[in-house]
Amino acid sequence: YRLTTPLAFDNEFYINYSLDLENLDLYLEDAWVKSAEIRMNLINSVPVDFNISAKCLDSDGNVRNDVTVTLNDSIKAGTHQNPTDNALVIRLDNASKELNISALRLTLEASSSNPELAGVCLNRNQGFEIKDIVIALPDGVGVNFSSNEN
């Protein structure tokens, strides 16, 4: 048996979705990076605005609370026929130590009591797409040229 049923918004709803961008590996042996910018385009074809937040994860999956994360914007609503292209810049700063980050956890949240969305169906082609991820090191890379080896 197979049952296919549409997913539609109600009069009030709440969406919370987390996604881990893994294998960033912002760690260099004998070098350090204190800040980084992760730039990407997030394509949204869901008809609601989303707030976005991010947390840095170390290689064990633990949240790095000592890293300051700054985001530039929210995600604007789109549709299947007219998705929005949202340019995001995520700035990571750690003034006291080098960044040692393996992943970035993005959390998208939306809620609404907009009666115009009641009954609006989502189809399997609607969602998010992340494109054109670029990591920039605006403050450069520090290198330790001294070595204990002869």
Side-chain angles (χ1 to χ4, degrees), residues 4-146:
T4 303
T5 182
L7 175 64
F9 292 106
D10 196 359
N11 289 334
E12 293 186 22
F13 67 88
Y14 174 74
I15 299 172
N16 182 310
Y17 178 75
S18 291
L19 166 72
D20 289 353
L21 299 177
E22 298 176 327
N23 301 318
L24 295 177
D25 298 325
L26 289 176
Y27 176 76
L28 304 170
E29 191 170 334
D30 295 326
W32 59 92
V33 175
K34 290 190 176 186
S35 65
E37 286 184 355
I38 301 173
R39 301 175 189 149
M40 66 184 80
N41 291 343
L42 197 146
I43 312 302
N44 180 18
S45 60
V46 178
V48 293
D49 293 337
F50 283 85
N51 292 320
I52 185 167
S53 61
K55 295 180 180 181
C56 297
L57 306 178
D58 65 17
S59 59
D60 295 323
N62 300 312
V63 174
R64 293 280 311 269
N65 292 317
D66 58 333
V67 177
T68 303
V69 180
T70 309
L71 286 94
N72 71 323
D73 210 352
S74 61
I75 308 300
K76 304 299 178 211
T79 64
H80 177 60
Q81 295 81 14
N82 190 21
T84 58
D85 188 346
N86 301 271
L88 294 178
V89 177
I90 302 169
R91 171 104 181 171
L92 312 174
D93 287 294
N94 188 349
S96 62
K97 302 178 193 174
E98 72 275 355
L99 289 174
N100 183 5
I101 298 168
S102 291
L104 189 66
R105 178 168 294 148
L106 299 178
T107 301
L108 298 140
E109 289 185 281
S111 63
S112 179
S113 56
N114 182 350
E116 293 178 17
L117 289 175
V120 172
C121 291
L122 291 177
N123 69 49
R124 65 177 159 201
N125 296 318
Q126 287 180 281
F128 300 104
E129 178 184 1
I130 296 175
K131 295 175 33 176
D132 306 323
I133 298 175
V134 174
I135 298 176
L137 306 174
D139 298 324
V141 176
V143 179
N144 181 2
F145 289 109
S146 64

